[in-house]
Amino acid sequence: MSQHDARTSRPDALASRLDAGFRLALIAALTPALADRASQVDPLIKAAANPQFGDFQANFAMGLAKTLDRKPRELAQEVIDCAPQSLRDLCDPFEIAGPGFINIRVRPEVLAAALTAMDSPTLGVSSANGSRTVAVDLCGVNVAKQMHVGHLRATIIGDTIARLFERLGWRVYRQNHLGDWGLPIAMTLASLRRAKIDISRVTLDDLNRAYRSAQAQGRDDEAGLAAARATGAGPHRIAELEAQHEGASAALADAHDTLRRLQSGESAVVADWQKLIDVTMHEVYETAQLLGVDLKPEHNRGESFFRDRLVPTVDAFVAAQLASRDAGALVVRFEGRERPLLIQKSDGTSLYATTDLAAARYRVQDLGAELVVYCVDARQRDHFKDVFDAVRLIGWTARADSTEASLVHVPFGAVLGADKRPLKTRSGENFTLKALLDEAIARGRREVHARAAIADSPTAALSRAELDAIGQAVGIAAIKYADLSSDVGRDYVFDLDQMVSFEGDTGPYAQYAHARIAGILAKATSLGITCGAIVVREPQERALALNLLRYPAAIEDAAAQLAPNRIAAFVFELANTFNAFYQACPVLRGADDATRSSRVHLCDLTRRVLADALSILAITAPPRM
Ligand code: ARG
């Protein structure tokens, strides 16, 4: 995934101090040869691949030697000789290895001091203090339909990206771009009205049935479907194109008529429409709560929110001479692209894309976002490419301070079943999200109850209700972590057995690592051992220290790359590093008071960093498991 240009990424604090020190040494050593270009040479500081060789490496010598026609090891030595005291103070004496790598080992007191500096409520993460603004398009369910597994990703990836930026102190606007104004909801509405179903008593099951039957009727139109398929567009555009086709079925004509009456504000239709929304959103909020996702009515900026902005949107494109007529419809054309963007149908109504144009304008111009992140299914890639290009063409990405806002689609892959095909129930239907979560919770509870039954288990004394609550947290964490730890753009296989396992790269493993540390800390308290000065002595203590110190950079990097999986990877690595530390370095039975209280301090920091990282993934971290 490409980095959006609101980049915040920089190396971790230690690496950037090394970077600055080496830069000074490079300037001092190279100025005779390179004059003012010396200051532009990159020291190329990287984390060392093997801890045996130190913590970091400076890799500039090889490339530079070629340019200057020098021997790399000699060059490396010259630069080292110029190292300022501020750099020498950070490290053990430098070693030159192989063709000219400089191995850097940070002095243990420096690591301890950096950890102490990190030990604050911010954990070393710096804050934009509301000076930067991002809008995150998340969830986007189509009203009058039950949430299925596809919405899981749009909801939790979006929530995590929003939390990442919140953690970095940005102003974050969550935008739930509900499908509540187009043909899909009109199809359901028409189908319910035709079946004379009392909409005030309608259940979600009724809605699903109505939606499916409306869809099935729409699909009867083979020609329309073929036309829609040929475009490769998302579900919205397919439905729209199906309906537009000449041979559209009677049901679609009916839906179309209902849509027209809704959009012109006919009160009976609007009232029924509102009831449909209430029924669906009730479940959406319940599911969001279960998932720990921050999604509330105030985040709704559905299609209907933009209804009065659609005509002005189209007018603006016409006035800017960016829209042209095509068989009565209005389209925006792009250079070198065959596919045009349809912004108004021949009957004068607007489309999914029109709403997205209005929404992008609102997010940049009204909300002031410098970055708009769209967490939407990869199948809508072309749609967003067209919409973003159209928004740029008309100049709506221009901000008041004359910078340009970035619009970025985070296209996520599908959730697959064991057969590597989109996850379906045995009868071939989409899994409802609710059914999936219920199953995961049941599995989580089974796991937690089984563990509590083992003698000496930290949960042995807990009540049934307490164990149920932990089991629920485990089940939800299992699903969320599996989703968030996979590369967003890729499909992944839904394997509940693997997801709920307490071993391996899973949510429960991360939760368990956290609970284990919480247990150690509780014991320390009962033994009267408190956090003391940090001393970094053993290699495993060093590894843990370096890992902890990378946390602020890991968050910034995940935000810059819009990649929640980097947070998950950090969590997994930290849990592993901690376990290795705990195995090698006795905490409560450390050799002396100073060692014990230093290690308790390391445990405390690790627990807080783990809990903080998990809170970005909105995964709860129970104190006992
Ligand atoms: N309701 C849309 C769908 O299900 C997703 C909305 C995504 N967001 C957007 N701004 N288009 O396909």
Side-chain angles (χ1 to χ4, degrees):
M1 181 177 313
S2 67
Q3 188 171 42
H4 58 85
D5 63 8
R7 75 172 60 200
T8 49
S9 189
R10 57 174 164 68
D12 59 83
L14 258 181
S16 64
R17 279 163 72 189
L18 293 170
D19 200 75
F22 268 100
R23 212 173 279 278
L24 288 178
L26 279 161
I27 295 170
L30 297 175
T31 302
L34 289 177
D36 51 352
R37 279 180 301 142
S39 61
Q40 279 137 41
V41 178
D42 185 347
L44 295 173
I45 307 282
K46 302 262 167 350
N50 183 341
Q52 252 190 316
F53 303 128
D55 307 322
F56 298 92
Q57 282 178 334
N59 295 345
F60 61 85
M62 283 71 71
L64 203 56
K66 229 184 235 147
T67 325
L68 297 175
D69 197 18
R70 297 277 316 273
K71 294 205 171 84
R73 290 184 65 108
E74 261 176 42
L75 192 65
Q77 188 61 52
E78 263 165 52
V79 173
I80 288 174
D81 291 343
C82 290
Q85 196 56 41
S86 59
L87 178 60
R88 291 175 196 279
D89 286 347
L90 295 178
C91 314
D92 286 346
F94 300 110
E95 282 165 16
I96 301 178
F101 300 105
I102 300 176
N103 289 340
I104 305 165
R105 189 180 300 273
V106 178
R107 286 173 44 212
E109 312 86 80
V110 172
L111 289 175
L115 285 175
T116 310
M118 180 185 183
D119 186 4
S120 73
T122 67
L123 295 170
V125 179
S126 48
S127 169
N129 288 320
S131 64
R132 309 186 72 178
T133 303
V134 59
V136 181
D137 187 304
L138 77 175
C139 185
V141 295
N142 293 327
V143 175
K145 256 179 101 173
Q146 200 157 26
M147 283 177 96
H148 62 77
V149 62
H151 297 120
L152 175 74
R153 305 212 75 192
T155 303
I156 68 177
I157 293 169
D159 180 58
T160 303
I161 288 177
R163 279 171 198 271
L164 257 174
F165 283 99
E166 279 159 359
R167 183 66 181 83
L168 289 168
W170 288 47
R171 184 191 291 269
V172 177
Y173 290 102
R174 290 156 192 262
Q175 303 280 290
N176 188 355
H177 194 93
L178 297 171
D180 62 358
W181 199 244
L183 200 68
I185 192 168
M187 275 160 64
T188 310
L189 198 53
S191 161
L192 286 170
R193 296 183 120 233
R194 217 171 24 247
K196 302 228 176 346
I197 290 173
D198 176 359
I199 297 190
S200 59
R201 261 185 259 220
V202 87
T203 65
L204 259 183
D205 284 339
D206 296 332
L207 290 186
N208 283 331
R209 236 171 288 127
Y211 190 88
R212 272 202 300 277
S213 89
Q215 257 188 338
Q217 283 165 326
R219 293 266 151 82
D220 285 344
D221 170 22
E222 280 301 319
L225 187 57
R229 277 197 187 125
T231 68
H236 262 86
R237 269 158 90 169
I238 290 181
E240 284 164 345
L241 282 158
E242 279 174 348
Q244 227 207 344
H245 197 272
E246 274 184 310
S249 67
L252 272 168
D254 188 14
H256 224 53
D257 183 52
T258 306
L259 182 62
R260 192 189 45 73
R261 287 159 65 197
L262 172 66
Q263 296 193 341
S264 62
E266 199 176 295
S267 60
V269 182
V270 172
D272 283 351
W273 169 79
Q274 187 58 52
K275 280 177 209 145
L276 282 193
I277 293 185
D278 294 345
V279 173
T280 345
M281 292 315 286
H282 181 73
E283 194 208 54
V284 172
Y285 297 132
E286 252 178 22
T287 308
Q289 201 174 20
L290 199 56
L291 286 167
V293 164
D294 183 9
L295 191 75
K296 305 194 194 72
E298 71 248 35
H299 301 131
N300 284 351
R301 290 293 178 274
E303 294 171 358
S304 64
F305 176 83
F306 297 100
R307 58 187 156 203
D308 297 331
R309 301 176 186 235
L310 299 174
V311 172
T313 298
V314 172
D315 288 350
F317 275 89
V318 172
Q321 299 189 328
L322 290 168
S324 52
R325 288 267 163 216
D326 183 341
L330 275 173
V331 299
V332 177
R333 293 190 185 280
F334 307 98
E335 236 180 74
R337 193 176 309 160
E338 207 173 307
R339 171 188 73 234
L341 180 67
L342 193 57
I343 63 170
Q344 190 180 64
K345 289 187 277 188
S346 49
D347 63 3
T349 55
S350 51
L351 302 97
Y352 182 49
T354 327
T355 306
D356 257 324
L357 294 172
R361 182 186 202 176
Y362 168 77
R363 291 163 185 184
V364 178
Q365 309 295 333
D366 296 27
L367 302 181
E370 68 176 85
L371 172 66
V372 187
V373 184
Y374 293 75
C375 303
V376 186
D377 194 314
R379 287 173 301 174
Q380 296 196 31
R381 208 177 247 127
D382 287 348
H383 166 76
F384 285 113
K385 188 172 164 57
D386 296 349
V387 166
F388 295 171
D389 282 345
V391 173
R392 279 190 278 263
L393 272 179
I394 200 162
W396 290 344
T397 42
R399 305 175 68 231
D401 62 2
S402 76
T403 57
E404 184 89 1
S406 318
L407 310 176
V408 186
H409 177 204
V410 175
F412 56 77
V415 183
L416 306 178
D419 57 359
K420 302 271 162 63
R421 319 199 49 181
L423 192 64
K424 299 270 183 211
T425 61
R426 282 217 187 92
S427 57
E429 280 156 30
N430 284 331
F431 260 108
T432 66
L433 190 47
K434 190 86 177 48
L436 215 63
L437 296 182
D438 286 347
E439 171 71 12
I441 290 170
R443 297 289 290 275
R445 287 188 173 153
R446 225 182 298 152
E447 197 75 33
V448 167
H449 280 287
R451 288 177 162 259
I454 301 169
D456 288 347
S457 148
T459 49
L462 297 186
S463 70
R464 196 175 175 82
E466 285 170 311
L467 292 175
D468 277 350
I470 298 173
Q472 170 163 330
V474 166
I476 297 291
I479 289 210
K480 288 191 71 177
Y481 187 93
D483 195 291
L484 292 167
S485 61
S486 67
D487 193 340
V488 170
R490 286 234 273 275
D491 298 348
Y492 73 89
V493 173
F494 190 90
D495 176 355
L496 206 47
D497 288 333
Q498 184 267 327
M499 291 175 182
V500 296
S501 166
F502 277 52
E503 306 292 332
D505 191 5
T506 69
Y509 173 74
Q511 288 178 311
Y512 185 69
H514 172 272
R516 191 168 175 209
I517 306 173
I520 298 166
L521 290 168
K523 236 182 227 144
T525 306
S526 72
L527 296 172
I529 310 173
T530 50
C531 291
I534 295 174
V535 185
V536 178
R537 206 173 288 128
E538 302 301 327
Q540 294 83 359
E541 290 173 318
R542 167 175 288 270
L544 182 58
L546 284 163
N547 205 157
L548 287 168
L549 290 171
R550 271 199 295 277
Y551 183 53
I555 297 187
E556 292 191 357
D557 179 49
Q561 306 291 333
L562 302 174
N565 59 308
R566 297 194 181 209
I567 296 293
F570 177 87
V571 164
F572 184 52
E573 200 190 341
L574 184 57
N576 287 334
T577 314
F578 178 82
N579 287 341
F581 154 80
Y582 191 58
Q583 230 162 44
C585 305
V587 174
L588 303 175
R589 290 165 209 260
D592 48 56
D593 279 352
T595 306
R596 286 190 290 271
S597 58
S598 161
R599 289 180 180 166
V600 165
H601 201 161
L602 282 174
C603 289
D604 180 65
L605 252 181
T606 307
R607 191 203 65 74
R608 281 157 54 207
V609 169
L610 267 181
D612 196 73
L614 287 172
S615 80
I616 293 175
L617 305 175
I619 289 179
T620 47
R624 269 184 289 191
M625 278 174 70

